Every structure is written in structure tokens, then in C-alpha cells.
Amino acid sequence: MKSDETPNMTSLIGVFDVIYRHMKLIIITTLIVLFATGFTTFFVISPKYESTTELLVNRKLSTDLQSAQFQQVQADVQMISTYKDIITSPAVLNTVMKKVRDYPESPTSSENLAKSISISNQQNSQVFSVSAKSANKNTAALIANETARVFKSKVGKIMNIDNVSIVSTATPSSKPYSPKKVLSLLAGLVVGLVLGISLAFIREVSDNTVTNEEFLKNMGWVNLGQVSEMDNKKNSHQKE
């Protein structure tokens, strides 16, 4: 039964009063959303794996240009953006695609292959990383390594570079990078709480149960009388 006083939901006490009286609804809603999130995270979403290989492109200098080595290093760093474009070009990806297409969870086209590959590098570093993502951890490592190998074999012809080194090869990752289970569960908990509290306030606002005379005045209605609550035990004794 609702209390005789309607809470003022604009005050902090009124807010906590609404939350307290609808605590069961909030808890049930939170548990439902948390369960749905956990089920989707653990049983519906396929895990994604990522593997990374590292490359170093260091153009050789002639003897008379050894004094310009620093400028050459800076130029090599700036060239990494060009290498990124070459790696994601059809000249490289079409060859990689032929090597990996028969493996589990491999991309179905060069366009999908390009989306599964990312290239990054640290600031002022000549080493850059090629990362590949796949639902199969072995395929992810294979794509990364094949991409690095094909780039190494083709970049020399494209840009007349003959000093490309694979610093480290990709290995299958034992842990998926996605989904992030802990973050997903925390997000489900927060969403469930927010949804439950929102439903509590919606229920409170839409509840037109008459609780006191002030409610009637606000609605413009006339109070025709009051009926007091009777004790069932006392009423049964009177009948006897």
C-alpha cells in the first residue's frame, strides 16, 4: 500500500523514496539485463583474436651520404604512411588473399581482408606493426605474417627498397581481444540499473492512485467522503 504522502520527486529524499518503494522492480530489471548481457557475451558473440608482426624498412645509404643519416631516418619515419597504403593495396592483399582463403574464418574478399588489417607505429620509430584480426587465432597470425612477407617481397619493386626486415613474427594469441567480458558485464549492470530506475519513475509518474486530499485538489476533483481501513480480524469477531 502506498504511503499517505506523495513524494516530491524533485527533492533528493523524494528520489530515494521512489527508488526504495520500487526496489524489487529495479533489482529484477537489473538482473534480467545483466543475464541477457552475460548470455550474449559468453554464448552468442564469437571471440575475436588479434596477432601482430613488426617490420623495419631501413633504406641503405651510399658512402657519400653517411653524414645525412639523421635526415634519412626522419624520411624513413615519414614514409611509413606510404607503406601503410602499399600494404592495404590490391597489389599486396590479392596475393595474401590467395594464401589464406582456405583457412578457417579467413576473409571472403580482399575488401574484408583490408578491414581485418591495421597498421600502427610509435612516434619517431622506423618500426611499424601489422596487426590482423580473425575469429580464429591461427588464421589471425597467418594473415599478419603473410601480409608482412608479401609486403617485403613487393615493396622493393614498387619503391626500389631492398632493406626490409621482419623484426618479429606474429604468433597465435591465447586470449581474444573481443568481447571484453568484464567490461560487457559492467556495462550490463549499469544499463540494468538505469533502466530499472527509469521504469520506477515512469511507474510513479503514471500512477493515478488517490493517496490524499491534496491529490484530489490538484486534479480539480471534489472529495465526497473517506472510507477507513477496517481490521479483518476485528470485523470477523463482530460478526460472531
Side-chain angles (χ1 to χ4, degrees), residues 29-40:
T29 304
T30 302
L31 290 177
I32 290 174
V33 174
L34 186 60
F35 175 80
T37 303
F39 181 82
T40 302

Side-chain angles (χ1 to χ4, degrees), residues 3-201:
S3 60
D4 293 336
E5 296 184 0
T6 302
N8 179 12
M9 287 186 290
T10 60
S11 67
L12 187 60
I13 296 177
V15 169
F16 280 111
D17 183 63
V18 172
I19 293 175
Y20 177 77
R21 286 189 292 102
H22 295 281
M23 185 61 69
K24 185 177 180 180
L25 172 65
I26 295 172
I27 292 175
I28 292 175
T29 304
T30 302
L31 290 177
I32 290 174
V33 174
L34 186 60
F35 175 80
T37 303
F39 181 82
T40 302
T41 301
F42 286 90
F43 300 105
V44 177
I45 300 177
S46 299
K48 299 289 185 180
Y49 297 89
E50 183 176 36
S51 293
T52 301
T53 182
E54 294 182 330
L55 291 164
L56 170 64
V57 180
N58 186 19
R59 289 179 290 177
K60 293 182 179 179
L61 296 175
S62 58
T63 307
D64 57 337
L65 291 177
Q66 291 296 324
S67 60
Q69 185 173 5
F70 177 77
Q71 290 82 356
Q72 184 65 47
V73 169
Q74 296 300 311
D76 286 340
V77 171
Q78 295 175 2
M79 286 296 294
I80 290 178
S81 60
T82 302
Y83 303 148
K84 292 179 182 179
D85 294 334
I86 295 174
I87 289 174
T88 55
S89 68
V92 172
L93 293 186
N94 288 342
T95 304
V96 175
M97 189 66 199
K98 294 177 182 179
K99 298 289 185 179
V100 303
R101 62 186 174 187
D102 294 330
Y103 286 82
E105 303 295 340
S106 62
T108 56
S109 65
S110 297
E111 290 76 13
N112 291 334
L113 178 60
K115 293 178 181 178
S116 69
I117 295 174
S118 60
I119 300 97
S120 61
N121 71 295
Q122 298 294 328
Q123 188 175 6
N124 297 326
S125 174
Q126 291 177 271
V127 177
F128 62 97
S129 303
V130 177
S131 299
K133 299 175 182 178
S134 174
N136 184 287
K137 59 183 179 181
N138 294 318
T139 302
L142 176 69
I143 292 173
N145 288 328
E146 281 296 327
T147 302
R149 187 188 64 80
V150 173
F151 168 77
K152 180 179 178 179
S153 66
K154 289 184 176 290
V155 72
K157 299 177 182 178
I158 296 173
M159 299 186 64
N160 195 25
I161 296 173
D162 57 358
N163 195 17
V164 180
S165 302
I166 298 177
V167 179
S168 63
T169 57
T171 56
S173 175
S174 59
K175 295 182 179 179
Y177 78 92
S178 175
K180 299 184 184 300
K181 296 177 180 179
V182 175
L183 290 179
S184 295
L185 292 177
L186 288 176
L189 178 64
V190 172
V191 171
L193 283 173
V194 172
L195 180 59
I197 294 173
S198 300
L199 290 175
F201 279 94

